[in-house]
Structure formats: structure tokens, C-alpha cells
Amino acid sequence: MEETKKKITIGHLYPDLLNLYGDRGNIACMMQRCLWRGIGAETIEFNTGDAIDFSKLDIVLLGGGSDREQAIVCKNLLEIQKDFKDYVEDHGVVIAVCGGYQLLGKYYKTDEGMIEGLHLVDMYTEQGEGRLIDNIVLKSSLTDMPVVGFENHGGRTYIGDNEPFGEVLYGHGNDGTSGYEGVVYKNVIGTYLHGPLLPKNPEVCDWLIRRALERKYGEAELAPLDDSQEKEANQYIYRRFVKE
């Protein structure tokens, strides 16, 4: 199949409430890296109360928000939990950032009460004392380049036996003590890295696009792009914070 005939559809869930950390930048990055390669791409925004048909989506973005906004969104998501779970188990591609990452699990226990999660991944989050705020650098099995970003979260996430997104080379990570950050489950990435994540980490973006194309078409050859500026920015952050 010619690459120009391929197309992916990105579902941006609840940007009216979960767009605290520049998540539209992640959308823009995925769209542009597809279009540069001649791959058709469109984004559908689903705001509070909108019906979501996961069968029409190739990548789902679940962004970050405050605890209050997470609680509101979760009430909506729990109504479609089975459809979302079926999508994930069928290797649907998901990128969940910060608050969206916390919602993937069983629950998020806060000082104000319990926010029930979506039970998409066997993990949970509990609020800790103080916030974990810093630049962060990871070594990830998904990429050759380091993964860089910024973290700012009060929750401590415990992923059990699931695969982490990466090993923390600098920063706090999931809970400040385990030495790991994020989670990978099938074609789902959950992470606290924001700012947004994907423009600084083109290989992570391409991992998502490749998995979506493989699921939809059975093959995915991504033409190389000139990522010299992205690599330079990535290496600047890496060298600044990681002492070799």
C-alpha cells in the first residue's frame, strides 16, 4: 500500500478539561510528523458529554488536569470504560499524560477523597507529601535517544509488575524512590512528562505513529525526517542534567 494512501485518526479526549500541560502540542507534533511523510492525519476532539467511537480512532490522547477536573472527566470515562478497555486490549494506541496517566489505573487516592480509575492498567496512584517537580531524563527501551521532559505531580504512582516507560537518569519519576517513570502496557504509554512531551522526543512520537499504522495496516515504514534541531535540543537537556 502506498504511504500516501494511509491515514490515522487521533482522538483528543476532553481537551475542554484536560489540557493543563500543553497537550495540544502533542497533537500538533503527531499531526505534523504524519503530514511530512505523506500520511493522512486528522484529529477529533471529544469534549465532555460527546459520544466516543473508539473503533474509528487510531491514537488516543488523554491529557492532564487538576484533581477536580480529573474527577469530572472520570465520571464520563467510566460510562465508556468497557469500550476504552476493549480498545486497549485490542492494541489501540494511547498516550496518557500526567492526570490522564493516573486515570489509567485502579484509583487515585487524594486528600479530598478517592478518584476511581479506568482499570485499563494494573496500577494505582496515591497522593504524597509535597510535589515532585523537576526536569527529568529517562533511558527508555522504546527509543535510542534519551527521553526528556518536565514533571510536576503530587501523586505517587505504583505500576507493580508492568513495564516502566523508562529508567530515571535525572528527576523523580513515578514515586520518587523506585527509579522508574511511567508505564508501558501493550500500545499504551502513560507518563508524567509534559511541557509537551512529543516535540522534545520525536522517537516517542514515531513509536506511537508506527504502532498505530501497524495495527491498522499491518505494516509501517516511516520515512526518516530531519530531526537535527529536535536532537540538538534533546541532547542539550541530557548533557545539562545527566553527569556521565
Side-chain angles (χ1 to χ4, degrees), residues 16 18 33 53-54 126 146 160 210 212 227:
D16 53 334
L18 299 182
R33 292 184 72 81
D53 184 353
F54 287 96
E126 296 184 350
R210 186 178 298 108
D227 290 328

Side-chain angles (χ1 to χ4, degrees), residues 66-211:
S66 68
D67 292 350
R68 174 183 172 277
E69 290 163 335
Q70 282 180 245
I72 294 171
V73 163
C74 200
K75 290 179 181 179
N76 286 267
L77 284 172
L78 287 173
E79 295 177 1
I80 56 169
Q81 190 272 347
K82 182 182 183 302
D83 292 340
F84 205 164
K85 180 73 171 177
D86 289 345
Y87 172 81
V88 166
E89 293 301 315
D90 191 38
H91 299 277
V93 180
V94 178
I95 175 70
V97 179
C98 212
Y101 170 34
Q102 294 168 342
L103 288 175
L104 296 178
K106 297 177 180 177
Y107 63 83
Y108 175 25
K109 185 178 181 181
T110 74
D111 292 340
E112 286 72 38
M114 190 82 74
I115 299 174
E116 185 176 358
L118 294 169
H119 298 261
L120 303 182
V121 182
D122 186 11
M123 60 181 228
Y124 64 92
T125 301
E126 296 184 350
Q127 188 169 340
E129 184 176 349
R131 298 187 67 81
L132 303 180
I133 306 173
D134 208 337
N135 291 283
I136 183 166
V137 181
L138 310 178
K139 179 182 178 181
S140 176
S141 63
L142 305 187
T143 62
D144 294 324
M145 294 167 57
V147 177
V148 301
F150 190 80
E151 60 179 332
N152 180 356
H153 53 103
R156 273 62 167 172
T157 297
Y158 303 93
I159 66 171
D161 294 331
N162 288 298
E163 178 185 353
F165 181 32
E167 176 188 354
V168 177
L169 302 179
Y170 179 88
H172 301 288
N174 281 333
D175 54 23
T177 60
S178 68
Y180 295 102
E181 201 284 326
V183 72
V184 176
Y185 175 74
K186 295 193 174 183
N187 284 339
V188 175
I189 295 177
T191 180
Y192 279 115
L193 275 66
H194 55 74
L197 167 72
L198 299 182
K200 302 186 192 78
N201 301 282
E203 290 184 355
V204 177
C205 189
D206 284 353
W207 186 92
L208 297 166
I209 295 168
R210 186 178 298 108
R211 290 302 179 99

Side-chain angles (χ1 to χ4, degrees), residues 136-139 146-148 167-171 234-244:
I136 183 166
V137 181
L138 310 178
K139 179 182 178 181
V147 177
V148 301
E167 176 188 354
V168 177
L169 302 179
Y170 179 88
N234 182 288
Q235 279 299 301
Y236 174 82
I237 297 170
Y238 175 82
R239 289 192 299 266
R240 181 177 178 186
F241 295 107
V242 177
K243 309 301 180 185
E244 295 184 313

